[in-house]
Amino acid sequence: MPYVLLTLGILFALAAANAFAPRRSAVLLAPSFFLGWLTIEMAPHVLVTWAVATGLTAAFGGLDGWAGWTGLVLALAAMAGVAATVVASRRTVVTLRDSGAPLDLDPEGAPRYPLAHLIVPPLCLIPRKGVRVERNVVYREEGRLRLRLDVFRPADGADDGGLRPGLMQIHGGAWVIGDKREQGLPLLNHMALQGWAGFNVNYRLSPRATWPEHLIDLKHFLAWYKEHAEEYGADPGFLCVTGGSAGGHLAALVALTANQPAFQPGFEDVDTAVQGAVPFYGVYNLVEAGPWRVPMGATRIMEKMVVKKPFAENREVYAEASPVTHIGEDAPPFFVIHGSRDSLIPAAEARRFVERLRDVSASPVVYAEMKGAQHGFDVFPSYRTARVIEGVERYLTGLHRQYRQGAGPAVPGEVARSLGEPSVG
């Protein structure tokens, strides 16, 4: 048993170390991500499992020798490391531009944008009670093509007789896998309980679909929403968009390519503008390497399965597929969310996108970097997920409040207040 305990200690220590420093090599990227993802985002469950396994092994003679004691020390150190991720999950670092909070000044007297903390109360596991879900509504049908969505609404009647704000959710999966049944569910359930109508939208996946067919499908949803929103109690004049990973990439594109004819062939006259965007851990620049060893556009999945064109000879195509290319002064408000320990899409990818947005866009831009969070952290209904969902709901509610008041997009200070007054750090 001592060597069993030693083995457990080594395995636990390796898992904890991987959670803090995931491997990025081509061979280890996927297994390192999945192990780190489960260790970080299910940390309380992991701690209980490890503690029980360590205790039982020790009780049955695991400490009868140096190997067992060494294993115990390693196991305790690993559990302490995982416990630290739980503590880290209770801090969300947010950068606000012109938040209305006092500005720090650099040595030359120019204002620095403050580093603030988004403070939101904990949210319990999100119940399904009180939410009505209508599944597999067809929003696009052409020949054999049938694209479907799920609608999330409050189970009771319309809020004070009015139309509800709408939220479009786009799933991720590297543009090749994924489904509306798998992602965005905690957020959609919570938003429905707060009086929103949520639309979890499927789109064609690669390799069947070739860029920009993914985006064109989502633009078809926007046209469908304009025509059918009121049938589901939603306001056709107000829709925000969210999504994670590849869904974050597509959500940003939906928000930044409003009314561009190339992406809405055959329905060019439909207004495809949205009133706000909340992309999670997305890819925003396929052309420049930056945080990547090579540009994302030069990867095999993009060249062979998604865009299906050689990157070197078609950089302009990859630029068109990059949200950063489409940033303009008229961009809608953005709330960009990323995890600081994302091993699939580095947080630096989000930071440079936010910097460009803030340089060009006239709308408020909020950035939340979740300390210690991996890619896909919001899939699990954890404490971290609860915090970010609460923050997203406050942000979107602030945008809708401004819309109802006829004041246009919320100014940054008003966005900050909708999140709860931040404390300057």
mmCIF file of all heavy atoms in Angstrom, residues 4 23 43 47 59:
data_model
loop_
_atom_site.group_PDB
_atom_site.id
_atom_site.type_symbol
_atom_site.label_atom_id
_atom_site.label_comp_id
_atom_site.label_asym_id
_atom_site.label_seq_id
_atom_site.Cartn_x
_atom_site.Cartn_y
_atom_site.Cartn_z
ATOM 1 N N VAL A 4 1.279 2.298 -3.438
ATOM 2 C CA VAL A 4 0.017 2.782 -4.007
ATOM 3 C C VAL A 4 -0.182 4.246 -3.644
ATOM 4 O O VAL A 4 -0.547 5.082 -4.485
ATOM 5 C CB VAL A 4 -1.178 1.935 -3.513
ATOM 6 C CG1 VAL A 4 -2.501 2.551 -3.989
ATOM 7 C CG2 VAL A 4 -1.056 0.508 -4.009
ATOM 8 N N ARG A 23 0.476 21.891 -20.680
ATOM 9 C CA ARG A 23 1.420 21.678 -21.774
ATOM 10 C C ARG A 23 0.822 22.197 -23.076
ATOM 11 O O ARG A 23 -0.359 22.023 -23.335
ATOM 12 C CB ARG A 23 1.748 20.195 -21.922
ATOM 13 C CG ARG A 23 2.294 19.525 -20.675
ATOM 14 C CD ARG A 23 3.646 20.092 -20.272
ATOM 15 N NE ARG A 23 3.499 21.225 -19.363
ATOM 16 C CZ ARG A 23 4.484 22.062 -19.057
ATOM 17 N NH1 ARG A 23 5.654 21.933 -19.628
ATOM 18 N NH2 ARG A 23 4.271 23.049 -18.221
ATOM 19 N N ALA A 43 -12.846 21.632 -9.281
ATOM 20 C CA ALA A 43 -11.903 21.548 -8.166
ATOM 21 C C ALA A 43 -12.520 21.006 -6.876
ATOM 22 O O ALA A 43 -11.908 20.156 -6.210
ATOM 23 C CB ALA A 43 -11.263 22.908 -7.930
ATOM 24 N N LEU A 47 -11.074 17.673 -5.134
ATOM 25 C CA LEU A 47 -10.525 17.680 -3.779
ATOM 26 C C LEU A 47 -11.136 16.571 -2.927
ATOM 27 O O LEU A 47 -10.428 15.863 -2.204
ATOM 28 C CB LEU A 47 -10.763 19.042 -3.121
ATOM 29 C CG LEU A 47 -9.794 20.158 -3.510
ATOM 30 C CD1 LEU A 47 -10.252 21.480 -2.906
ATOM 31 C CD2 LEU A 47 -8.387 19.829 -3.044
ATOM 32 N N ALA A 59 -5.295 4.595 5.545
ATOM 33 C CA ALA A 59 -5.923 3.780 6.586
ATOM 34 C C ALA A 59 -5.631 2.295 6.419
ATOM 35 O O ALA A 59 -5.599 1.540 7.401
ATOM 36 C CB ALA A 59 -7.431 4.019 6.583
#
